[in-house]
């Protein structure tokens, strides 16, 4: 039995989009008014892939996750070795990219990514998440997200560069910064990616994140997406795990119970430095049928 409160059935028995349903045309048009200067900031980490170099390890990631791999099927070296051009004076480079997004790069979680019991969000059978993908609540149902973004820059509020690893953000602190409207994307800055350059071991020693109380506060305000620069929305301990029980687990609270999509591992330093709390948030996952998540490049339009 899913814990209460939840959004199961709120948008109909067949719903697979959750609170993204709140992004009606009128809400999207109203969100566009949050842009005032037209400056565009990328909120994504770089994807650095290689098969024989340490490049992927230079980007923050969770320990033990398979890192991105970038292969060139044809490149300049092939032509130098005598490969024929595809036409007279015409050359082409071609590549392939393998990315397992969870814990390795900026990505969006689908509503089928995590669950408890035998049902994913909205009561869809968990048995429909198969080896070839999820036939319910896959990432392909997201489409595009255009919404008002609201930045909760928690370390700046506290006068810090980044939050300590054991810090769990209370709802009261979010409330002091801003109050989201229905359909908003709540963007949470912890500053934790800054730790990676100083010490990978410190980055892996735990992570700050939302408390369950703060997650419930955001859900009660009907946000469409919760996005964060950490790797799990909630905090992690030194074993890379959440300490909360099932009723308070942030993924179960937001994804499973409320149908709120999650975006993790953002880069928010330029956005934080801008001083803007409100902006236009734009993102679209790859249309991976049955995918439990997808790499994305979110944009903030100031």
């Amino acid at each position: 039995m899913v814990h209460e409160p939840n959004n199961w059935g709120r948008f109909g028995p067949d719903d697979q989009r959750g609170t993204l349903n709140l992004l009606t045309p009128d809400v999207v048009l109203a969100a566009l008014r949050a842009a005032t200067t037209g400056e565009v900031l990328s909120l994504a980490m770089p994807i650095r892939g290689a098969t024989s170099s340490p490049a992927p390890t230079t980007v923050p990631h969770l320990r033990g996750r398979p890192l991105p791999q970038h292969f060139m099927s044809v490149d300049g070296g092939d032509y130098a070795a005598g490969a024929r051009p595809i036409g007279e004076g015409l050359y082409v480079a071609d590549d392939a990219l393998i990315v397992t997004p969870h814990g390795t790069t900026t990505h969006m979680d689908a509503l089928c990514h995590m669950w408890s019991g035998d049902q994913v969000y909205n009561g869809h059978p968990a048995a429909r998440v198969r080896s070839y993908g999820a036939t319910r609540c896959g990432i392909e149902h997201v489409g595009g997200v255009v919404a008002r973004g609201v930045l909760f820059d928690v370390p700046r509020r506290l006068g810090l560069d980044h939050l300590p690893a054991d810090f769990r953000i209370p709802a009261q602190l979010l409330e002091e910064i801003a109050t989201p409207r229905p359909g908003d994307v709540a963007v949470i800055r912890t500053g934790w990616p800054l730790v990676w350059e100083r010490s990978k071991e410190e980055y892996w020693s735990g992570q700050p994140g939302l408390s369950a109380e703060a997650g419930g506060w955001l859900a009660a305000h009907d946000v469409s997406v919760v996005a964060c620069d950490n790797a799990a929305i909630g905090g992690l301990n030194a074993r890379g795990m959440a300490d909360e029980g099932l009723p308070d687990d942030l993924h179960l609270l937001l994804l499973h119970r409320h149908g709120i999509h999650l975006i993790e591992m953002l880069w928010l330093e330029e956005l934080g430095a801008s001083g803007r709390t409100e902006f236009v948030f734009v993102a679209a996952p790859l249309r991976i049928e049955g995918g439990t998540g997808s790499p994305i490049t979110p944009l903030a339009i100031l």
Side-chain angles (χ1 to χ4, degrees):
M1 184 68 179
V2 67
H3 293 282
E4 297 288 349
N6 63 70
N7 279 330
W8 289 27
R10 177 182 176 186
F11 304 107
D14 299 322
D15 176 52
Q16 300 181 65
R17 302 189 72 240
T19 52
L20 291 177
N21 286 291
L22 298 171
L23 293 176
T24 63
D26 287 344
V27 171
V28 171
L29 287 175
L32 296 178
R33 293 197 287 270
T36 58
T37 68
E39 182 182 1
V40 179
L41 299 178
S42 171
L43 307 182
M45 298 276 192
I47 295 177
R48 297 187 183 127
T51 57
S52 60
S53 82
T57 66
T58 63
V59 182
H61 61 270
L62 290 181
R63 197 198 304 262
R65 303 297 177 96
L67 296 177
Q69 297 294 306
H70 185 194
F71 303 90
M72 298 301 294
S73 58
V74 60
D75 57 35
D78 294 302
Y79 298 113
R84 292 183 179 181
I86 62 173
E88 186 174 351
L90 183 60
Y91 303 88
V92 63
D94 208 349
D95 50 5
L97 184 65
I98 300 174
V99 181
T100 54
H102 302 293
T104 65
T105 190
T106 306
H107 66 281
M108 174 181 277
D109 288 345
L111 298 183
C112 62
H113 175 49
M114 289 186 72
W115 66 89
S116 178
D118 57 4
Q119 295 173 313
V120 298
Y121 164 73
N122 209 35
H124 294 290
R128 302 301 295 269
V129 183
R130 310 299 293 274
S131 59
Y132 50 80
T135 61
R136 294 293 185 274
C137 297
I139 198 70
E140 74 272 20
H141 296 288
V142 169
V145 178
V146 179
R148 188 179 79 130
V150 179
L151 177 64
F152 295 87
D153 193 338
V154 181
R156 183 177 297 271
R157 177 76 178 185
L158 299 176
L160 303 171
D161 292 330
H162 63 79
L163 299 178
D166 61 354
F167 193 90
R168 303 297 179 257
I169 302 167
Q172 181 180 353
L173 191 48
L174 296 182
E175 194 170 9
E176 291 174 3
I177 297 173
T179 301
R181 300 194 298 247
D184 283 352
V185 173
V187 180
I188 317 297
R189 179 177 173 266
T190 69
W192 196 245
L194 297 174
V195 174
W196 180 265
E197 288 300 320
R198 182 169 71 226
S199 168
K200 296 177 177 59
E201 292 302 319
E202 183 180 359
Y203 182 87
W204 288 326
S205 69
Q207 290 198 14
L210 290 177
S211 66
E213 174 203 28
W217 184 83
L218 290 171
H221 281 81
D222 265 344
V223 297
S224 61
V225 175
V226 175
C228 193
D229 61 356
N230 72 359
I233 303 298
L236 296 177
N237 59 31
R239 296 179 292 111
M241 304 293 289
D243 288 323
E244 295 82 7
L246 288 181
D248 291 332
D249 182 274
L250 268 294
H251 273 65
L252 294 182
L253 191 159
L254 296 169
L255 281 175
H256 186 233
R257 286 162 52 186
H258 287 94
I260 298 173
H261 286 77
L262 306 180
I263 297 175
E264 297 162 332
M265 303 187 74
L266 294 169
W267 178 257
L268 298 176
E269 297 313 301
E270 285 77 23
L271 180 60
S274 75
R276 292 285 293 269
T277 300
E278 179 181 301
F279 53 95
V280 177
F281 182 95
V282 179
L286 299 175
R287 197 169 178 178
I288 306 168
E289 292 193 358
T292 66
S294 170
I296 59 171
T297 297
L299 302 176
I301 306 174
L302 306 185

